[in-house]
Short mmCIF file of all heavy atoms in Angstrom, two decimals:
data_model
loop_
_atom_site.label_atom_id
_atom_site.label_comp_id
_atom_site.label_asym_id
_atom_site.label_seq_id
_atom_site.Cartn_x
_atom_site.Cartn_y
_atom_site.Cartn_z
N SER A 130 -24.58 24.78 3.67
CA SER A 130 -23.74 23.68 4.13
C SER A 130 -22.21 24.07 4.16
O SER A 130 -21.45 23.28 4.59
CB SER A 130 -23.91 22.43 3.23
OG SER A 130 -23.44 22.75 1.82
N ALA A 131 -21.82 25.28 3.65
CA ALA A 131 -20.37 25.68 3.78
C ALA A 131 -20.19 26.43 5.03
O ALA A 131 -20.71 27.58 5.17
CB ALA A 131 -20.04 26.43 2.56
N ASP A 132 -19.40 25.97 6.00
CA ASP A 132 -19.19 26.68 7.22
C ASP A 132 -18.30 27.90 7.02
O ASP A 132 -17.46 27.87 6.12
CB ASP A 132 -18.47 25.76 8.24
CG ASP A 132 -19.38 24.64 8.62
OD1 ASP A 132 -20.59 24.82 8.70
OD2 ASP A 132 -18.84 23.55 8.98
N ILE A 133 -18.42 28.92 7.89
CA ILE A 133 -17.44 29.99 7.95
C ILE A 133 -16.11 29.49 8.20
O ILE A 133 -16.01 28.54 9.05
CB ILE A 133 -17.95 31.08 9.00
CG1 ILE A 133 -19.18 31.77 8.50
CG2 ILE A 133 -16.87 32.00 9.35
CD1 ILE A 133 -18.96 32.59 7.17
N GLY A 134 -15.10 29.97 7.60
CA GLY A 134 -13.70 29.36 7.83
C GLY A 134 -13.32 28.53 6.57
O GLY A 134 -12.13 28.28 6.40
N THR A 135 -14.31 28.10 5.81
CA THR A 135 -14.00 27.28 4.60
C THR A 135 -13.99 28.29 3.44
O THR A 135 -14.49 29.41 3.51
CB THR A 135 -15.04 26.16 4.36
OG1 THR A 135 -16.30 26.86 4.06
CG2 THR A 135 -15.19 25.34 5.56
N ILE A 136 -13.47 27.82 2.34
CA ILE A 136 -13.33 28.65 1.10
C ILE A 136 -14.78 28.99 0.68
O ILE A 136 -15.11 30.23 0.49
CB ILE A 136 -12.61 27.92 -0.01
CG1 ILE A 136 -11.10 27.71 0.35
CG2 ILE A 136 -12.71 28.73 -1.29
CD1 ILE A 136 -10.29 26.77 -0.55
N ARG A 137 -15.62 28.05 0.61
CA ARG A 137 -16.99 28.34 0.04
C ARG A 137 -17.80 29.17 1.09
O ARG A 137 -18.69 29.95 0.71
CB ARG A 137 -17.72 27.00 -0.27
CG ARG A 137 -17.13 26.26 -1.54
CD ARG A 137 -17.52 24.89 -1.59
NE ARG A 137 -17.34 24.22 -2.84
CZ ARG A 137 -17.65 23.00 -3.19
NH1 ARG A 137 -18.13 22.23 -2.23
NH2 ARG A 137 -17.43 22.45 -4.34
N GLY A 138 -17.53 28.89 2.32
CA GLY A 138 -18.27 29.73 3.40
C GLY A 138 -17.80 31.15 3.44
O GLY A 138 -18.57 32.03 3.84
N ASP A 139 -16.46 31.34 3.27
CA ASP A 139 -15.89 32.69 3.39
C ASP A 139 -15.98 33.50 2.20
O ASP A 139 -16.09 34.72 2.27
CB ASP A 139 -14.42 32.59 3.82
CG ASP A 139 -14.11 32.10 5.16
OD1 ASP A 139 -15.07 32.06 5.99
OD2 ASP A 139 -12.99 31.87 5.47
N PHE A 140 -16.10 32.90 1.01
CA PHE A 140 -15.97 33.66 -0.22
C PHE A 140 -17.27 33.54 -1.16
O PHE A 140 -17.17 34.00 -2.28
CB PHE A 140 -14.71 33.35 -1.03
CG PHE A 140 -13.52 33.66 -0.22
CD1 PHE A 140 -12.73 32.58 0.37
CD2 PHE A 140 -13.11 34.90 -0.05
CE1 PHE A 140 -11.57 32.86 1.12
CE2 PHE A 140 -11.99 35.18 0.75
CZ PHE A 140 -11.21 34.21 1.31
N ALA A 141 -18.32 32.88 -0.70
CA ALA A 141 -19.41 32.75 -1.58
C ALA A 141 -20.76 32.84 -0.77
O ALA A 141 -20.71 32.65 0.46
CB ALA A 141 -19.40 31.42 -2.33
N LEU A 142 -21.83 33.33 -1.43
CA LEU A 142 -23.13 33.50 -0.68
C LEU A 142 -24.31 32.95 -1.48
O LEU A 142 -25.37 33.19 -1.23
CB LEU A 142 -23.34 35.01 -0.44
CG LEU A 142 -23.10 36.03 -1.56
CD1 LEU A 142 -23.95 35.73 -2.70
CD2 LEU A 142 -23.16 37.39 -1.03
N ASP A 143 -23.96 32.01 -2.42
CA ASP A 143 -25.02 31.46 -3.30
C ASP A 143 -25.87 30.47 -2.63
O ASP A 143 -25.46 29.95 -1.50
CB ASP A 143 -24.36 30.96 -4.59
CG ASP A 143 -25.32 30.98 -5.78
OD1 ASP A 143 -26.39 31.38 -5.65
OD2 ASP A 143 -24.75 30.62 -6.93
N SER A 144 -27.02 30.14 -3.19
CA SER A 144 -27.96 29.13 -2.54
C SER A 144 -28.52 28.31 -3.84
O SER A 144 -28.57 28.77 -4.89
CB SER A 144 -29.08 29.82 -1.88
OG SER A 144 -29.89 30.64 -2.67
N TYR A 145 -29.08 27.15 -3.50
CA TYR A 145 -29.71 26.34 -4.46
C TYR A 145 -30.93 27.14 -4.98
O TYR A 145 -31.22 27.14 -6.11
CB TYR A 145 -30.12 24.94 -3.88
CG TYR A 145 -29.05 24.03 -3.59
CD1 TYR A 145 -29.07 23.14 -2.59
CD2 TYR A 145 -27.86 24.02 -4.41
CE1 TYR A 145 -28.03 22.30 -2.25
CE2 TYR A 145 -26.77 23.14 -4.09
CZ TYR A 145 -26.87 22.24 -2.97
OH TYR A 145 -25.87 21.42 -2.72
N GLN A 146 -31.68 27.74 -4.02
CA GLN A 146 -32.91 28.35 -4.44
C GLN A 146 -32.65 29.53 -5.39
O GLN A 146 -33.36 29.68 -6.38
CB GLN A 146 -33.88 28.76 -3.28
CG GLN A 146 -33.28 29.52 -2.17
CD GLN A 146 -32.69 28.73 -0.97
OE1 GLN A 146 -32.05 27.89 -1.20
NE2 GLN A 146 -32.91 29.30 0.20
N MET A 147 -31.64 30.30 -5.14
CA MET A 147 -31.34 31.43 -6.01
C MET A 147 -30.79 30.98 -7.33
O MET A 147 -31.26 31.44 -8.43
CB MET A 147 -30.30 32.48 -5.48
CG MET A 147 -29.99 33.57 -6.25
SD MET A 147 -29.17 34.96 -5.47
CE MET A 147 -27.56 34.30 -5.01
N SER A 148 -29.80 29.95 -7.28
CA SER A 148 -29.23 29.54 -8.67
C SER A 148 -30.33 28.76 -9.41
O SER A 148 -30.30 28.83 -10.67
CB SER A 148 -28.08 28.75 -8.42
OG SER A 148 -28.18 27.69 -7.50
N ASP A 149 -31.19 28.12 -8.69
CA ASP A 149 -32.21 27.30 -9.50
C ASP A 149 -33.24 28.23 -10.12
O ASP A 149 -33.60 28.06 -11.30
CB ASP A 149 -32.99 26.31 -8.63
CG ASP A 149 -32.02 25.09 -8.30
OD1 ASP A 149 -30.98 24.94 -8.82
OD2 ASP A 149 -32.40 24.28 -7.36
N VAL A 150 -33.66 29.27 -9.42
CA VAL A 150 -34.58 30.31 -10.04
C VAL A 150 -33.95 30.98 -11.25
O VAL A 150 -34.52 31.18 -12.23
CB VAL A 150 -35.03 31.38 -9.03
CG1 VAL A 150 -35.62 32.60 -9.59
CG2 VAL A 150 -35.98 30.77 -7.97
N ASP A 151 -32.61 31.26 -11.07
CA ASP A 151 -31.93 31.91 -12.23
C ASP A 151 -31.38 30.95 -13.25
O ASP A 151 -30.69 31.38 -14.17
CB ASP A 151 -30.80 32.80 -11.60
CG ASP A 151 -31.26 33.94 -10.82
OD1 ASP A 151 -32.39 34.31 -11.01
OD2 ASP A 151 -30.47 34.53 -10.14
N LYS A 152 -31.78 29.68 -13.12
CA LYS A 152 -31.38 28.60 -14.04
C LYS A 152 -29.97 28.57 -14.35
O LYS A 152 -29.46 28.67 -15.46
CB LYS A 152 -32.26 28.79 -15.36
CG LYS A 152 -33.65 28.73 -15.17
CD LYS A 152 -34.47 28.53 -16.46
CE LYS A 152 -35.95 28.53 -16.44
NZ LYS A 152 -36.57 28.20 -15.18
N ARG A 153 -29.11 28.39 -13.26
CA ARG A 153 -27.63 28.28 -13.46
C ARG A 153 -27.16 27.46 -12.32
O ARG A 153 -27.92 27.16 -11.30
CB ARG A 153 -27.05 29.76 -13.37
CG ARG A 153 -27.36 30.45 -12.08
CD ARG A 153 -26.63 31.80 -11.98
NE ARG A 153 -26.94 32.49 -10.69
CZ ARG A 153 -26.52 32.11 -9.52
NH1 ARG A 153 -25.72 31.14 -9.32
NH2 ARG A 153 -26.91 32.77 -8.38
N ALA A 154 -25.88 27.19 -12.43
CA ALA A 154 -25.26 26.31 -11.27
C ALA A 154 -24.95 27.20 -10.13
O ALA A 154 -24.71 28.44 -10.37
CB ALA A 154 -24.01 25.61 -11.87
#
Side-chain angles (χ1 to χ4, degrees):
S130 66
D132 294 328
I133 289 298
T135 67
I136 294 169
R137 289 163 165 181
D139 285 352
F140 298 108
L142 44 62
D143 210 352
S144 64
Y145 291 146
Q146 55 269 41
M147 178 163 71
S148 54
D149 288 349
V150 164
D151 290 344
K152 299 196 187 331
R153 60 173 178 76

